[in-house]
Amino acid sequence: HVEDLAQLLLTVAEDAGVSLNQVYEPDDGTGLGWSHIEFAHMIGLALGHKVFAFNLPAALLSAAAWADETVRGAKAKLTRDRAAYLAHPDWVVSANARPPASLWQARIATPDGIRDTV
């Protein structure tokens, strides 16, 4: 959530003991992260819709993107770069790159953040 990220940035900027060369990968603390299907369900819930979500193989997404770009050109909704983004195998942060809990922890639950975004 943007408020959580802003708080982390302020904390790092104000804390003289934090190395400015440190790279942090902030997250909500969900151990193995969220799947695309879980995100789709959270978005659907926030919109008041039931969502049927499923995983597609990367090759099928890429083929669909190629077809959309071929048909719609610059107005394609599913582009090859978006397909690659959706098919990324691992969006979970590295445990050793998380901000130390003593420095920062997310306060806004992901489902609440999704609702705020919607």
Side-chain angles (χ1 to χ4, degrees), residues 8-9 11-24 100 103:
L8 173 60
L9 293 172
T11 300
V12 168
E14 294 170 352
D15 190 337
V18 175
S19 169
L20 296 179
N21 295 324
Q22 179 65 42
V23 175
Y24 290 122
L103 177 69

Side-chain angles (χ1 to χ4, degrees), residues 1 4 28 34 106-114:
H1 193 278
D4 281 335
D28 68 354
W34 299 92
R107 288 187 163 75
I108 299 170
T110 297
D112 296 336
I114 296 287

Side-chain angles (χ1 to χ4, degrees), residues 26-106:
D27 70 351
D28 68 354
T30 301
L32 297 175
W34 299 92
S35 70
H36 287 111
I37 291 174
E38 290 168 321
F39 265 118
H41 286 282
M42 283 189 275
I43 293 167
L45 185 63
L47 289 168
H49 298 289
K50 198 169 207 170
V51 172
F52 175 70
F54 52 92
N55 290 316
L56 291 176
L60 185 56
L61 274 174
S62 181
W66 175 85
D68 196 19
E69 288 178 332
T70 300
V71 172
R72 295 185 196 182
K75 294 185 179 188
K77 301 290 185 193
L78 180 62
T79 59
R80 284 172 281 185
D81 62 324
R82 287 183 183 150
Y85 177 84
L86 289 170
H88 191 282
D90 179 12
W91 286 108
V92 178
V93 303
S94 302
N96 62 348
R98 274 193 180 103
S102 60
L103 177 69
W104 175 87
Q105 290 182 25

